[in-house]
Amino acid sequence: MTRMPVLYLSHGAPPLADDPVWTDELARWSAGLPKPKAVLMVSAHWEEAPATLSATRPVPLVYDFWGFPERYYRVRYDAPPATELAGAVRALLPGTRQDDERGLDHGAYVPLVEMYPDADVPVVQMSMPTLDPARLFEVGRTLAPLRDQGVLIVGSGFTTHNLRELRPAADAAPPAWSAEFDAWTDAAVAGGDVDALLDFRAKAPAARVAHPRTEHFAPLFVALGADADGDGAARRSVIDGYWFGLAKRSFQFG
């Protein structure tokens, strides 16, 4: 079985579905990947300790946003239950819980609708049990064997995320803090400087403006950990650019 890559993507808000550039980028990205046996999603929008898995039976999506038009609350994504994957995660991470009422949140289903629109790949979401970069890196390292079982591990966040500093238009020029943090992150990933990334609060420019709270950068550390033994040369930026001034840069490892 082909070893699957690991992804970190900037998932966007529900209006992502209205952005033809972004939807095309995600669709073309997934089309170039091996078809996964299952997807393990780690979204910025679910923090719970200990690590917890979403339902492996049909349950509603989690519409964890407010103030949008009604049509965004009618989106469906009825992926097959990932019972086998959930069992494999629990075996690798003892103490992992299962929440049989928890559906996929928008950090998971918004990109999946574009990447696997037929909803024919089993999906389970895992909570982030911490926001500590080093601990999340170790979680990713522990989950790495899933790659050899055909599992696509996806960290879903946003490379810069400060909603108070949004630009007034989707195609607006990015503010300096967003561009600087984005360029630093791209260079650190390309150079394999995992230590700097784990210590980004101290080492990245404008880190506290780019991420007043770190939950949208945190899924990157799971992805880095899942590729800890990989070839650094196989790490690459797949999507770049900005959306309302926020960096939507997304990476593929392996």
Side-chain angles (χ1 to χ4, degrees):
M1 183 174 292
T2 301
R3 191 178 207 217
M4 294 299 295
V6 182
L7 311 185
Y8 169 77
L9 56 83
S10 294
H11 60 244
L16 164 62
D18 303 328
D19 185 329
V21 174
W22 212 346
T23 53
D24 181 63
E25 287 171 333
L26 289 174
R28 286 189 289 109
W29 190 4
S30 61
L33 299 173
K35 184 69 174 288
K37 180 180 177 182
V39 173
L40 176 63
M41 294 289 302
V42 180
S43 161
H45 295 279
W46 191 13
E47 300 170 46
E48 185 169 340
T52 305
L53 298 172
S54 62
T56 54
R57 63 183 183 87
V59 295
L61 297 175
V62 178
Y63 302 105
D64 51 339
F65 46 85
W66 299 267
F68 289 93
E70 178 61 28
R71 60 192 174 92
Y72 293 119
Y73 303 92
R74 294 198 296 266
V75 174
R76 297 285 299 275
Y77 194 75
D78 300 320
T83 306
E84 183 178 344
L85 173 55
V89 172
R90 289 195 299 269
L92 290 169
L93 286 175
T96 299
R97 299 189 305 192
Q98 188 92 39
D99 183 345
D100 288 329
E101 304 300 322
R102 221 288 182 167
L104 303 177
D105 63 42
H106 83 268
Y109 76 77
V110 166
L112 287 173
V113 165
E114 310 305 332
M115 300 179 81
Y116 300 104
D118 294 332
D120 58 349
V121 178
V123 179
V124 71
Q125 185 173 341
M126 188 183 77
S127 71
M128 291 188 295
T130 176
L131 293 182
D132 179 73
R135 289 173 61 192
L136 288 174
F137 183 86
E138 291 305 318
V139 168
R141 191 198 292 269
T142 302
L143 295 172
L146 297 173
R147 298 175 62 186
D148 296 313
Q149 301 172 29
V151 175
L152 181 65
I153 300 173
V154 181
S156 178
F158 221 110
T159 297
T160 62
H161 191 264
N162 187 333
L163 299 184
R164 292 186 176 183
E165 299 290 339
L166 285 176
R167 286 301 197 241
D171 58 353
W177 58 264
S178 187
E180 291 169 3
F181 186 90
D182 176 50
W184 180 89
T185 300
D186 186 32
V189 170
D193 196 347
V194 173
D195 289 340
L197 289 161
L198 292 176
D199 195 23
F200 79 99
R201 280 295 214 188
K203 296 184 176 178
R208 295 185 184 277
V209 183
H211 290 283
R213 194 170 183 274
T214 62
E215 80 287 345
H216 274 75
F217 205 52
L220 174 63
F221 306 122
V222 178
L224 287 168
D227 193 54
D229 63 348
D231 178 2
R235 297 171 182 163
R236 62 190 180 94
S237 173
V238 178
I239 295 174
D240 59 13
Y242 300 87
W243 186 71
F244 291 95
L246 304 182
K248 61 179 184 178
R249 190 175 298 278
S250 302
F251 297 102
Q252 180 173 324
F253 307 133

